Amino acid sequence: MTYIEELSEYTYAHSAYYRPITKAVGWLARDHTFWSFQPTDELLDLIWQYCKFPVARMRGSHDCEFCSTNLSTARDLPSLLAGLKEARHHRRVERNGETMMLGSAEMRVFGKNGLVYAAPNLIYHYVSVHHYEPPSEFLEALRSDPRPPDPSYSSLLEKFDLA
């Protein structure tokens, strides 16, 4: 996945989903360190709710660079197919009886003074499995209203032409 420095301007691939005053969060890469912590169930539930309202859906998908798969060592078609199946397994997640595929969309969190945070939906995986600690200002915005599934959250997505 593309690495974007924490809280820098969101610039993913000159995206059509860019909006002014949008900060990047959770655009991690193997060769960049990140803070870690033990996430709470409350936080994981919050992130899960945001992931259920995807924006910037892509045709392709990204795999977690921190999870090892056999994909990088594939030397023939059978091992390549096995590696692809294993990578797909890492993107499929379950929580509270619901299943979701990660790695092909983003989420938006609305902060104070019109600030917007853009994160890949893989952030759920990064927090739950690798204990990635997002910046405190993002966590504060995540816990503030509006948030999904409240209709006012959906209205903001529509206002910014992200729905």
Side-chain angles (χ1 to χ4, degrees):
M1 181 163 55
T2 299
Y3 172 78
I4 305 174
E5 186 177 339
E6 291 283 76
L7 301 176
S8 65
E9 183 179 18
Y10 168 77
T11 58
Y12 182 65
H14 305 289
S15 176
Y17 300 98
Y18 167 80
R19 300 298 178 268
I21 318 174
T22 301
K23 290 186 177 183
V25 172
W27 296 85
L28 308 180
R30 183 180 295 153
D31 53 342
H32 296 273
T33 60
F34 57 84
W35 293 99
S36 63
F37 75 137
Q38 186 61 47
T40 64
D41 282 337
E42 175 221 6
L43 177 60
L44 294 173
D45 286 342
L46 274 172
I47 295 172
W48 184 264
Q49 281 300 115
Y50 279 91
C51 288
K52 289 168 52 174
F53 287 77
V55 301
R57 293 181 186 183
M58 304 293 172
R59 289 185 179 186
S61 62
H62 292 284
D63 298 319
C64 174
E65 294 182 18
F66 306 106
C67 289
S68 61
T69 66
N70 294 324
L71 190 56
S72 61
T73 59
R75 304 260 185 260
D76 54 26
L77 184 58
S79 61
L80 176 65
L81 293 175
L84 287 170
K85 184 177 180 181
E86 188 178 1
R88 185 173 189 266
H89 171 75
H90 288 298
R91 291 191 312 268
R92 184 179 184 273
V93 293
E94 294 182 22
R95 181 154 191 87
N96 301 325
E98 296 177 311
T99 303
M100 187 181 311
M101 291 297 289
L102 303 177
S104 63
E106 300 173 13
M107 61 185 244
R108 293 296 183 274
V109 177
F110 299 102
K112 296 177 183 176
N113 302 317
L115 185 63
V116 180
Y117 298 91
N121 67 359
L122 266 175
I123 195 171
Y124 177 83
H125 172 81
Y126 294 151
V127 172
S128 65
V129 174
H130 303 292
H131 300 167
Y132 157 65
E133 182 178 16
S136 60
E137 70 178 72
F138 172 80
L139 294 174
E140 181 182 324
L142 195 73
R143 291 180 173 105
S144 300
D145 291 328
R147 58 184 182 201
D150 190 286
S152 60
Y153 176 80
S154 297
S155 293
L156 274 177
L157 288 178
E158 289 174 12
K159 176 184 173 184
F160 287 100
D161 198 24
L162 294 167

